[in-house]
Amino acid sequence: MSFRVTWDNLLDNVEELPADATLLTPLSQKPFHITDVQQHRVLIEYQADSETVPLQREQFETLFQRVDHAAGAFDLDRLPPGAEPYATVMSLHARFTIDDRDGTLSESETPTASPLVDAHTVEHDDSPREEPDISVYADALLLIDTLERHDVTSLTELDVPTLVNLYTLLSDVQRNANDLRQDVRGVLLDRLHHDQPVSGQYGSVQRTVRQNRTLKNDEEVLELLESEGIDPEQVMSVDTSKLDDALEVTSLSESDVYDIEESEYVRKADVDDEMKESRLQGLKDQLAGADEDTTELQAEIEELEQRITELTSFDPGTSFHTRSTGG
């Protein structure tokens, strides 16, 4: 297929996108919107920047040729700086496919949808909100309720039961949020590529490598050090587990061989799950009631506004008579 035909089909597909569709760049995952489609270019605007960026037809043709000449798939790492949006827009063509996990763009005989558009289209959902069935949601809702009912900017003025409630809920939110965070991290690791930052609405993340060291066999390490002229005794340390066993059969105390520093801390000892569930159900009922009250209140306001309009409107065809009160 010639590029001229490909370009015409691509423009048709771009124009069919919803006005509020959000697209993502394939590597850095930067969100952007298409603001205008013209014969020789496509205008976009990054979500975090109001500046309009033109994507020129000639550059699309160059990318088309690179994909055509690539063996199998074109590696998106080879794109010049700032050219990622070209690949995303090109994937709107039914015969061009982006693999956002492998970071490639390829041409296929089988029509496909772009994973960087369909999954990120902003839709206005008017359906009722559903409560997510995760622990951190319930604990966070209870915590928000507590924060709204007490002034935590002056903790010293709060009574002990309130402080206990705050500490318990903060602890539960931290634990459950960390569990969910680790689950999210596991999924993200499969989708982040090339150590490039990926941006979302509230921040950005980046794939990094952290090294965990585990010492090899002691004898092997000591032999290697000795072969380099280092006295093994210089790097040998006291085994604390064996030291504790030795203390039990000697007259020495812990303070003789350890520098001991004590620190005090608060530990969550128990959680009243029944009380949390009872309070949580009350909050859910209040929220449900608030939604209903808001609907009724809005209807009452609209009715009142209509009555005011009728009472204050002037109709030139209507005559008004004032009843005399005099005798």
Side-chain angles (χ1 to χ4, degrees):
M1 181 182 295
S2 68
F3 177 72
R4 182 184 61 79
V5 175
T6 299
W7 176 249
D8 291 340
N9 292 340
L10 178 61
L11 292 185
D12 290 340
N13 291 347
V14 172
E15 290 179 340
E16 291 177 358
L17 279 178
D20 56 359
T22 300
L23 294 82
L24 294 179
T25 56
L27 300 180
S28 59
Q29 300 284 294
K30 292 177 62 176
F32 66 92
H33 301 276
I34 294 177
T35 59
D36 194 14
V37 179
Q38 301 174 2
Q39 185 59 39
H40 296 288
R41 63 180 183 173
V42 175
L43 303 182
I44 69 168
E45 187 176 292
Y46 286 104
Q47 197 170 72
D49 191 355
S50 58
E51 181 181 359
T52 299
V53 179
L55 304 182
Q56 303 294 345
R57 181 185 187 277
E58 292 78 7
Q59 300 301 324
F60 279 105
E61 185 171 6
T62 299
L63 179 58
F64 172 83
Q65 293 172 351
R66 289 191 177 187
V67 174
D68 185 51
H69 295 159
F74 175 73
D75 191 346
L76 296 176
D77 270 343
R78 298 171 56 192
L79 287 173
E84 285 189 54
Y86 283 92
T88 300
V89 176
M90 182 68 82
S91 71
L92 296 176
H93 192 288
R95 297 184 62 178
F96 285 85
T97 303
I98 277 187
D99 189 325
D100 56 345
R101 295 195 175 188
D102 293 338
T104 59
L105 175 65
S106 58
E107 186 175 4
S108 171
E109 296 294 332
T110 303
T112 58
S114 172
L116 299 176
V117 180
D118 293 347
H120 304 282
T121 300
V122 178
E123 297 180 354
H124 300 287
D125 190 359
D126 297 328
S127 60
R129 295 179 58 186
E130 295 184 1
E131 173 192 347
D133 186 19
I134 52 177
S135 299
V136 68
Y137 174 82
D139 289 327
L141 186 58
L142 290 169
L143 177 60
I144 291 172
D145 172 61
T146 303
L147 293 175
E148 289 178 344
R149 290 187 291 109
H150 301 283
D151 183 10
V152 296
T153 60
S154 302
L155 292 175
T156 55
E157 298 181 5
L158 299 179
D159 56 25
V160 171
T162 300
L163 290 171
V164 170
N165 288 339
L166 274 173
Y167 189 87
T168 300
L169 292 173
L170 287 167
S171 177
D172 289 344
V173 169
Q174 181 187 36
R175 183 188 70 252
N176 293 323
N178 189 58
D179 290 343
L180 181 59
R181 181 182 66 88
Q182 292 182 7
D183 293 339
V184 173
R185 180 181 61 188
V187 176
L188 275 175
L189 284 175
D190 293 334
R191 302 186 181 181
L192 301 184
H193 308 284
H194 315 292
D195 296 336
Q196 296 192 18
V198 176
S199 299
Q201 183 179 0
Y202 302 113
S204 62
V205 297
Q206 184 173 5
R207 183 169 186 162
T208 58
V209 177
R210 180 174 55 191
Q211 294 183 340
N212 295 320
R213 301 191 307 171
T214 302
L215 192 64
K216 296 182 178 180
N217 180 271
D218 289 353
E219 294 182 0
E220 179 183 352
V221 173
L222 293 176
E223 289 178 0
L224 290 172
L225 292 174
E226 190 173 8
S227 67
E228 295 294 326
I230 298 176
D231 186 358
E233 293 184 358
Q234 295 180 3
V235 296
M236 296 180 67
S237 61
V238 177
D239 189 330
T240 56
S241 62
K242 295 180 179 179
L243 179 60
D244 291 339
D245 294 336
L247 289 177
E248 295 181 0
V249 296
T250 66
S251 60
L252 297 175
S253 65
E254 284 187 337
S255 60
D256 291 328
V257 295
Y258 289 107
D259 292 326
I260 301 176
E261 294 182 1
E262 293 185 350
S263 60
E264 296 181 344
Y265 67 97
V266 175
R267 180 177 65 88
K268 185 181 66 176
D270 191 21
V271 177
D272 192 336
D273 291 325
E274 292 185 1
M275 178 58 70
K276 286 175 60 176
E277 183 62 32
S278 176
R279 178 60 184 166
L280 182 61
Q281 187 59 50
L283 290 173
K284 293 177 183 178
D285 294 341
Q286 289 180 21
L287 290 174
D291 292 339
E292 296 176 0
D293 293 343
T294 301
T295 302
E296 295 178 0
L297 180 61
Q298 184 64 35
E300 293 177 1
I301 292 175
E302 292 177 357
E303 182 181 355
L304 181 59
E305 290 176 345
Q306 181 63 30
R307 291 176 59 189
I308 293 175
T309 301
E310 294 175 353
L311 291 174
T312 58
S313 61
F314 175 72
D315 185 350
T318 304
S319 59
F320 293 86
H321 302 275
T322 302
R323 181 177 298 177
S324 173
T325 58

